[in-house]
Each structure stands twice: as C-alpha cells, then as structure tokens.
Amino acid sequence: MYKRLQICVLLVLLIPTFTLASDLRLIIMADVQAADIGFSTMKDINTMEFEFETIAKELNLNFKKTILTYDQFTRASLFKQISDLPVTDTDVLVFYYSGHGFALQNTKSIFPNLKVKDVNNLNLTDVHEQLKKKKARLCMSFADCCNNTVSEAVLSRTPVRKGISNQSDILRKLFLESKGDIILASSRREEQALGDENGGIYTRSWLESLTFAKAQNLTIEWQSLLDDAEVRLQNKLTQIEGSKHIQHSIFEINVTVYDPVIVKVDPVIKDSVIVEPTPPKPLPSVSFSEMNKYLNTLVDERISLQKRWQILDLNRNKFFPPVAQVKEYINLIENKLEPVDIDIFLASLVSRAQAIKEINVVENLSTFSDQGKYQIITIQEIR
C-alpha cells in the first residue's frame, strides 16, 4: 500500500559560538488514531525517538522527550508544551510531526498545514516560529505528511491521506559545528512521494544516509548527506517491481561550518632523539556523495548501457588516481579475495548491473592518494 508523503525540514542554528549543548529535547506529535495511517505514525514515533535518543547519547546530551497523541494531538497542547519548555541557549530542540497534512489554495507557505484535532490552519512554519522563540542552539522542525492542495470544502468533509564508527564526530559536525538553515522536501512540485507500512520511502532513505554516515564516513556535510539520501531514494524506486514512479527530493542549504581547531604538534625529544610527529593521513578531496552517486549510476538500469559506459569513462579520473584498487564487502560480508584493479571493478558494475541493488562507499576503510582521490576504495555491494 502506498501513501502520499511530503517531508519538510527547517533547520536553524541560532547562536554564533560553539559551545556544548546540554539537552536534546524532542517533541513528537503523531496522529495514532487515524484509521488509515495510525499504524504508520506509531512506527514513526518509535523510529524517530530511537534515532534522536541515539544522537543524544553520542553527543553526551541529556535526552528529554514529549509525545503528543490522542487528546493532546492539538495546537493548544503543542503550543502550551513549547511555552512551558525550559530551554537554554546550549540545547538542541527538535519537533517531529507524523500525520495528515495539506495545503490550502490561498496559503502562500510552501510548507504543509498539520491536520490536528482543534484547528485546520496550523502551518509547520507557525510551529517553527514558536520553537525559534525558545532561542535554543539548534532548532529543527520536521513534518512527515502530505502537502497537496485541497479546498476548504474538501477539508471539512474528509481527511487528506498522509500518503566500525566515528559517529560522534559525524554528528558533532552536523549538529554542533554548523550555523545556518536548511529547507528540505521529499518531492518536487507535481510529484508524489511514496511510502508503505514501514513509513515513508524518503524518510527511510534519510535515516539510512545518517546511519551510514555515522558508521562509515570520515567527514560529512549537510550537502553530502542529503545528496546521499537522494541516491538511496532513487535506488529504492528502481527496486519497486513494475513501478515507473518519478520522485526527487529538493533542498536548499545555507550553513556555515566551523572547522575543528587544529593544534600544531611540536617534535618530541626522547632520549636526545627528536621524534617527528606522525603526519596526518590524506583526507578526500572528492565528495563522498558524488562518489556514491557515480557508482550507483553505473548500476542504474534505467540509464542505457551505452550511456553508463560513457559516464564511467568521463568521471573515472575525477575520483581515482591512475592506479587504484577496490576491496569489496558483499551483503556486509568481507570478500576474502585480493583487491581488484579499479578499472576492472568499474567495468564489472556496468556489466553486472542487474544483479546489484546498491553500492555504498565505506569511507573509513578506504585510503586516499596525496591528491585526495581514492587510492584503495572499500565498497559495500548489496545484491
């Protein structure tokens, strides 16, 4: 069963200096009583609560949650909770909504109205403005709901369908070392977003990207995270048998990333012998998300075979030095064979596309040349 789904995220970091936040406060509002989507919203509650509790633990933040369902599924209850919430300028504040959503013909906002019990005109931006008044370090508003236009008459009659790890460093880079704002939606204008009994397909893609980045990336930025989520979305759409559904996420990113402080290390004098500090390992100069997209394009059978060969040739030198190798993990199991030449591997992706569902770059098990290109790349191949 499919549902229409629209995901919108507004992300605002509210203070200019970097200090360790003390609490991660999560407010979840879910329509668990909806006859058609109640089972899905309950799944979303569990999924998002677990994800943000995990983030809090990794960042040494106190995790505090508020869940609004049943009789508390109202604007009045939500705004009272926000008003009474004790928030400091070192806290992270997150609002997550799962339920019916819609847009009215006379509404200028690109973000959806939330179908709560007591009103029909609660827009996501209204909630976000209330949250921003709390002046937390980071304020995030996330609505998993439909955003298609309906008339006032239709709205009054029927509801609208909803349609190995350095993870602490990764989460710190995303949530504590950035300042600015992000707007994200799961589909372009005139596109419908898909979901099923496991939740929204794009929501799962976003969560998978975050999970994979925490486990496998050396570096991260919001651009590469959202690019990777788009790649995963397209992979999932190709795996729906008989589906020709078209859906693409859209986002705008306006953030400043604070680089971590690099401390100069002086040579160590030991027994009258000068021991030079170990030079840092080269970091990638190419985008992780672009690499992932490149490899997954080579196995995308929606693209003609001839076109995929052309893409291989045109982009090969962008990511790899003249001599490079590949180490494979197949379905999370390490391939015990010796690393293979990169050109042989890339050609095999094109020729074996039908047997491959997804390709992931395991960045923290890869090594880089002095130019920051992938010298030995570790690949997770899902069949």
Side-chain angles (χ1 to χ4, degrees), residues 231-249:
V231 170
R232 294 173 187 275
L233 170 64
Q234 296 308 316
N235 288 338
K236 286 177 172 51
L237 293 176
T238 63
Q239 294 169 30
I240 300 175
E241 186 175 356
S243 173
K244 295 183 179 179
H245 185 79
I246 297 175
Q247 178 185 344
H248 303 85
S249 62

Side-chain angles (χ1 to χ4, degrees), residues 5-11 26-29 44 48 51-52 93-99 111-112 114 124 127-128 131 139-145 184-186 202-204 206-207 210 222 226:
L5 174 68
Q6 185 74 35
I7 300 172
C8 300
V9 174
L10 290 87
L11 179 60
L26 173 66
I27 302 175
I28 295 179
M29 194 174 197
D44 288 338
M48 299 304 283
E51 184 62 37
F52 281 100
L93 180 58
V94 178
F95 169 73
Y96 176 76
Y97 172 89
S98 179
F111 297 100
L114 313 181
L124 180 61
V127 178
H128 193 64
L131 293 174
C139 173
M140 178 179 182
S141 300
F142 190 148
D144 184 342
C145 63
L184 167 67
S186 65
Y202 183 73
T203 297
R204 296 205 302 274
W206 186 86
L207 289 171
L210 182 60
W222 281 108
L226 299 181

